[in-house]
Amino acid sequence: MKHFLVVVVLLIAVVGIGATGCNQKKEAAPQPTASADPAAEFKAEYKKAKETAKKWQDNATLERVYRVYNGTISSEEPQPVIFAFSSLAEATKVYQVTVPRDGEPRTEKKQKQDFEILFNPLSDDVLAITPDDALQKAEDAGGKTFREQHLAGYRVLQQLASSGKYPAQWLVRYDTGDASKLRLEIYLNAKTGEVETKREKRL
C-alpha cells in the first residue's frame, strides 16, 4: 500500500512539473507590438518627424510627404519616406525630415521650389493611408503594368499633398526613362485610398 502511495505521489509531482512548464511557455510567447502595424509605424514616424521639425520652428506644419524610386521598386529595401515642413518664420525654406527605421532622424533645410509655394498645410487625419498601401493601390490600378512596359528605365514619385483648392491626395507618378517620354499619374483619396483620377500623357 505504501509503495502504491509513493507511486501516486510521484505521478502527481511529474504532472505538476509538466503543467508548470506549459504555463512558462505560454507566458514567454511573443506579444504583438505596434511595429507590426504599418499604419501605427507610419504615424510613429510622423510623430518623430514632427517633434524634430518643432525644434527648427515651433510653428512648423507638415506640407508634404514623399519618396522617390529610381529604376526599381523593392519591398526588401524600401526608399525612406520624407516629411517636408514649412514655417511662416522662414517662408522661403522647407525643412525635410527623414525617419529611418533604426536610428535618429536626418534633416535638411532647402530653398522652397515654385510648386511647393502652393501647398496647403496637412492635418494629421490625412495620414490614414500608409505610403506602402498607396503604392500598392496605384500598382494595382495600372502602375505595375506601366512599369513592366518600360523596363529600360522609370522613376516613381509618391507624394501626399494638398495644393490650391484640391484636398489632400496621394499622387503616384510614373515617368519613363526611355524615348517614349510617357507619364502616368494616379491620384488617390488620402483618407480612403480609392483611385480618384488616372491619366497618361506624353511629356
Side-chain angles (χ1 to χ4, degrees), residues 131-188:
D132 288 342
D133 283 342
L135 178 61
Q136 187 58 58
K137 289 177 184 296
E139 289 279 283
D140 294 342
K144 182 179 179 182
T145 301
F146 185 84
R147 287 192 301 104
E148 290 174 345
Q149 292 171 345
H150 302 280
L151 292 177
Y154 61 83
R155 184 175 185 269
V156 180
L157 165 70
Q158 267 192 277
Q159 174 179 282
L160 173 63
S162 168
S163 180
K165 63 181 181 179
Y166 296 101
Q169 292 178 305
W170 273 106
L171 162 65
V172 184
R173 188 180 74 196
Y174 298 81
D175 286 316
T176 61
D178 54 29
S180 66
K181 302 296 181 184
L182 292 175
R183 170 176 287 178
L184 173 65
E185 295 177 338
I186 300 175
Y187 288 87
L188 306 158

Side-chain angles (χ1 to χ4, degrees), residues 7-198:
V7 172
V8 170
V9 170
L10 285 174
L11 283 173
I12 292 172
V14 170
V15 170
I17 291 171
T20 303
C22 290
N23 289 336
Q24 287 175 345
K25 286 182 181 179
K26 285 183 180 178
E27 290 172 1
Q31 298 296 316
T33 61
S35 61
D37 180 355
E41 188 174 279
F42 177 49
K43 289 179 180 178
E45 288 177 4
Y46 165 61
K47 182 180 178 182
K48 189 175 289 187
K50 187 176 182 179
E51 290 171 352
T52 303
K54 292 292 184 181
K55 295 175 183 176
W56 164 59
Q57 295 291 344
D58 189 56
N59 65 346
T61 56
L62 182 68
E63 68 174 20
R64 180 163 79 123
V65 181
Y66 75 99
R67 66 179 172 185
V68 178
Y69 290 93
N70 277 307
T72 182
I73 293 180
S74 172
S75 58
E76 295 179 0
E77 296 182 11
Q79 291 298 306
V81 176
I82 300 170
F83 298 88
F85 295 85
S86 63
S87 167
L88 292 176
E90 293 188 58
T92 62
K93 303 293 183 182
V94 59
Y95 191 77
Q96 298 190 151
V97 183
T98 305
V99 182
R101 303 214 168 181
D102 48 356
E104 291 302 309
R106 300 190 300 270
T107 64
E108 183 180 12
K109 186 164 66 172
K110 303 173 71 173
Q111 189 70 23
K112 187 170 283 191
Q113 300 180 61
D114 290 343
F115 73 89
E116 292 175 301
I117 296 173
L118 299 174
F119 285 149
N120 302 316
L122 294 175
S123 57
D124 293 359
D125 65 346
V126 300
L127 301 175
I129 304 298
T130 70
D132 288 342
D133 283 342
L135 178 61
Q136 187 58 58
K137 289 177 184 296
E139 289 279 283
D140 294 342
K144 182 179 179 182
T145 301
F146 185 84
R147 287 192 301 104
E148 290 174 345
Q149 292 171 345
H150 302 280
L151 292 177
Y154 61 83
R155 184 175 185 269
V156 180
L157 165 70
Q158 267 192 277
Q159 174 179 282
L160 173 63
S162 168
S163 180
K165 63 181 181 179
Y166 296 101
Q169 292 178 305
W170 273 106
L171 162 65
V172 184
R173 188 180 74 196
Y174 298 81
D175 286 316
T176 61
D178 54 29
S180 66
K181 302 296 181 184
L182 292 175
R183 170 176 287 178
L184 173 65
E185 295 177 338
I186 300 175
Y187 288 87
L188 306 158
N189 185 293
K191 295 182 179 180
T192 66
E194 293 181 6
V195 175
E196 294 186 329
T197 309
K198 178 180 168 182

